[in-house]
Amino acid sequence: MSKKLHIMAVGAHCGDMELVAGGVIAKYTRAGHEASIVHLTPGEKGLDCLWSK
């Protein structure tokens, strides 16, 4: 059995990592690994995200 990974994607704005690395995140989570997305700003300048309101 292979080692379980935890992928962390870090982006400046809300939506950055979803747009840039969404496919990679989906691939690894479907394979049983874990993923976290970190936004370094509150999201006021990024996409209109539901979780930033």
Side-chain angles (χ1 to χ4, degrees), residues 2-42:
S2 63
K3 183 177 178 180
K4 185 174 182 179
L5 301 175
H6 189 115
I7 308 299
M8 181 181 290
V10 180
H13 304 104
C14 180
D16 285 354
M17 289 297 91
E18 293 85 346
L19 292 172
V20 174
V24 173
I25 293 168
K27 177 181 178 178
Y28 278 90
T29 56
R30 285 184 190 139
H33 303 287
E34 294 184 27
S36 297
I37 298 174
V38 179
H39 302 127
L40 299 178
T41 59

